């Protein structure tokens, strides 16, 4: 394809191996050349972007993956979008496989909805459209003032289950929390399999201490208007982890959108083993595997982890010393298509 006549350009928003490889695969498939630009950090860690060719009147696609340094990646995307906007690009479309800060899409006590802030920043920088994959919550699309294409990884994960999981007809789809039940139900219906839902939390877990379960306080308010007394409210308390559904003698397949801090997955795997599941798989779209996640998985009852959409992000993981795909007893699979 003649780049000059195509009416669009494809740019990479950073120079990491992961982002560059993804951008090259996309341009090779489209038959166009990768746009010429330079993205780098100055000595004081400020982000600088230089666009090396004219983009006037063009539709621009910016490929941006999210490596370990999330905030730098966001600044690279914002600065490049603004540079293209001021260079008179017609449309600027961000291709962001994993949308950062998507877990911060709800108000927590006196916190903030950071995902909405990021959506506003992207619009202000000049983006007119984004393409992403498996947002943490569908409602995040409502934060944007421009169109959002939220693609799905489930067809590929479903295909993997059918083709690669031995005796998958004896499997059961597991939601590790009630909030993940809708996603798990979708997998179960498409595969014609049973569904199990886990409820509760590990007793040592503090993951939800900031979710408002201790507000309002468990005491009566007597300092307000005379004669006005608030009812006594009891704090929420989750029970120990329990499984709703029979997993005995079955293959348990836990499905989720993000694998990041894996304590919940590890605790779920232990409970499933206790309930009689003889093999445990984890299927997810985004394999972040932060901090000690690879080591915790290696030491757990989990047999196999598979994640998609991290060709771009998992490449950056492959450069880390704690890359889980290098050694260990757990099988890790990352799709590169």
């Amino acid at each position: 394809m003649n780049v000059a006549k195509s009416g669009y350009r494809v740019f990479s928003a950073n120079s990491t191996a992961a982002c560059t490889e993804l951008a090259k695969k996309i341009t090779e498939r489209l038959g166009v050349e990768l746009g010429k630009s330079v993205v780098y950090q100055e000595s004081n860690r400020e982000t600088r972007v230089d666009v090396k060719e004219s983009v006037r009147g063009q539709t621009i696609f910016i490929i941006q993956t999210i490596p370990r340094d999330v905030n730098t990646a966001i600044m690279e995307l914002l600065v490049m979008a603004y540079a293209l906007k001021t260079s008179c690009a017609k449309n600027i479309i961000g291709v962001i496989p994993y949308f950062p800060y998507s877990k911060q899409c709800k108000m927590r006590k006196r916190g903030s909805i950071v995902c909405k802030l990021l959506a506003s920043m992207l619009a202000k920088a000049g983006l007119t459209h984004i393409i992403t994959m498996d947002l943490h919550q569908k409602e995040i699309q409502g934060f944007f003032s421009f169109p959002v294409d939220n693609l799905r990884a489930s067809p590929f994960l479903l295909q993997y289950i059918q083709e690669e999981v031995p005796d998958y007809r004896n499997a059961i789809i597991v939601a590790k929390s009630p909030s993940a039940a809708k996603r798990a139900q979708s997998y179960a219906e498409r595969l014609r399999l049973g569904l199990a839902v886990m409820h509760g939390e590990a007793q040592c877990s503090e993951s939800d201490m900031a979710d408002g379960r201790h507000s309002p306080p468990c005491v009566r308010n007597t300092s307000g208007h005379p004669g006005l007394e608030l009812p006594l409210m009891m704090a929420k308390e989750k029970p120990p982890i329990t499984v709703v559904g029979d997993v005995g003698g079955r293959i348990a397949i836990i499905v989720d959108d993000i694998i990041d801090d894996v304590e919940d997955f590890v605790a779920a795997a232990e409970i499933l083993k206790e309930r009689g599941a003889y093999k445990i798989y984890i299927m997810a779209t985004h394999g972040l595997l932060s901090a000690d996640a690879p080591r915790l998985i290696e030491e757990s009852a989990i047999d196999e982890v598979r994640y998609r959409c991290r060709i771009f992000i998992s490449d950056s993981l492959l450069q880390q010393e704690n890359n889980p795909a290098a050694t260990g007893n757990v099988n890790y699979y990352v799709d590169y298509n």
Side-chain angles (χ1 to χ4, degrees):
M1 181 184 294
N2 189 314
V3 177
K5 295 181 180 179
S6 65
Y8 64 87
R9 297 283 198 280
V10 179
F11 285 85
S12 173
N14 68 54
S15 58
T16 62
C19 192
T20 301
E21 181 180 349
L22 175 61
K24 286 182 178 178
K25 285 180 177 290
I26 291 173
T27 53
E28 287 173 3
R29 179 64 64 91
L30 294 174
V32 300
E33 295 179 2
L34 185 63
K36 297 178 177 63
S37 64
V38 178
V39 182
Y40 61 96
Q41 310 296 319
E42 295 188 341
S43 58
N44 63 354
R45 303 303 298 165
E46 289 184 358
T47 299
R48 183 176 290 274
V49 173
D50 291 328
V51 180
K52 299 295 187 180
E53 59 184 279
S54 174
V55 296
R56 183 179 295 273
Q58 300 274 329
T59 294
I60 307 298
F61 290 85
I62 305 175
I63 312 299
Q64 177 62 310
T65 62
I66 306 300
R68 298 285 186 182
D69 191 350
V70 175
N71 295 326
T72 296
I74 291 172
M75 282 305 301
E76 289 171 345
L77 179 60
L78 292 171
V79 175
M80 174 162 276
Y82 191 67
L84 294 167
K85 176 184 177 181
T86 54
S87 297
C88 300
K90 181 181 179 181
N91 295 299
I92 304 172
I93 303 171
V95 181
I96 315 167
Y98 168 66
F99 193 79
Y101 287 98
S102 59
K103 284 189 173 182
Q104 298 190 49
C105 61
K106 297 179 181 179
M107 180 66 74
R108 299 292 191 186
K109 299 183 77 172
R110 294 182 180 86
S112 60
I113 306 176
V114 183
C115 192
K116 179 173 174 55
L117 171 63
L118 180 55
S120 300
M121 292 167 64
L122 293 173
K124 190 69 175 178
L127 283 171
T128 59
H129 190 159
I130 69 167
I131 301 172
T132 187
M133 182 169 268
D134 278 340
L135 288 170
H136 188 56
Q137 298 287 342
K138 292 181 181 179
E139 292 76 14
I140 290 174
Q141 296 175 78
F143 294 161
F144 295 86
S145 58
F146 51 75
V148 176
D149 284 327
N150 183 28
L151 307 182
R152 295 294 182 211
S154 56
F156 305 97
L157 294 174
L158 289 167
Q159 181 182 10
Y160 174 80
I161 292 172
Q162 292 174 313
E163 295 179 356
E164 303 296 334
V165 176
D167 193 24
Y168 86 91
R169 288 295 183 185
N170 188 39
I172 185 168
I173 304 299
V174 179
K176 70 178 180 64
S177 66
S179 61
K182 189 172 183 180
R183 185 186 306 273
Q185 181 182 4
S186 175
Y187 277 72
E189 290 175 349
R190 284 172 170 78
L191 292 168
R192 309 295 193 270
L193 298 177
L195 174 67
V197 179
M198 307 191 73
H199 173 64
E201 66 181 11
Q203 293 303 289
C204 59
S205 173
E206 298 181 0
S207 58
D208 287 331
M209 290 298 288
D211 69 352
R213 71 175 67 179
H214 299 285
S215 178
C218 303
V219 296
R220 296 183 185 276
N221 185 359
T222 58
S223 60
H225 189 278
L228 179 63
E229 188 175 272
L230 293 176
L232 178 64
M233 300 293 290
M234 296 186 65
K236 296 179 183 178
E237 183 176 346
K238 287 187 178 181
I241 297 178
T242 56
V243 182
V244 180
D246 182 16
V247 298
R250 313 284 287 277
I251 301 171
I253 303 176
I254 303 174
V255 298
D256 213 332
D257 59 326
I258 299 173
I259 307 176
D260 191 3
D261 296 324
V262 298
E263 286 85 353
D264 290 344
F265 288 97
V266 171
E270 295 294 341
I271 296 296
L272 292 171
K273 283 286 188 181
E274 292 176 6
R275 296 294 191 277
Y278 68 89
K279 198 163 190 179
I280 298 172
Y281 290 76
I282 295 179
M283 304 285 173
T285 306
H286 309 289
L288 306 184
L289 300 176
S290 301
D292 291 334
R295 178 184 59 80
L296 293 174
I297 292 177
E298 294 291 347
E299 297 172 355
S300 73
I302 298 169
D303 295 294
E304 182 169 308
V305 178
R306 184 176 182 86
Y307 45 95
R308 248 196 106 77
C309 183
R310 284 285 280 183
I311 164 187
F312 357 95
I313 304 176
S314 62
D315 253 11
S316 61
L317 288 176
L318 291 174
Q319 301 171 37
Q320 304 294 327
E321 292 182 358
N322 64 348
N323 166 35
T327 58
N329 299 319
V330 178
N331 294 322
Y332 291 80
Y333 295 90
V334 187
D335 287 323
Y336 283 82
N337 298 317

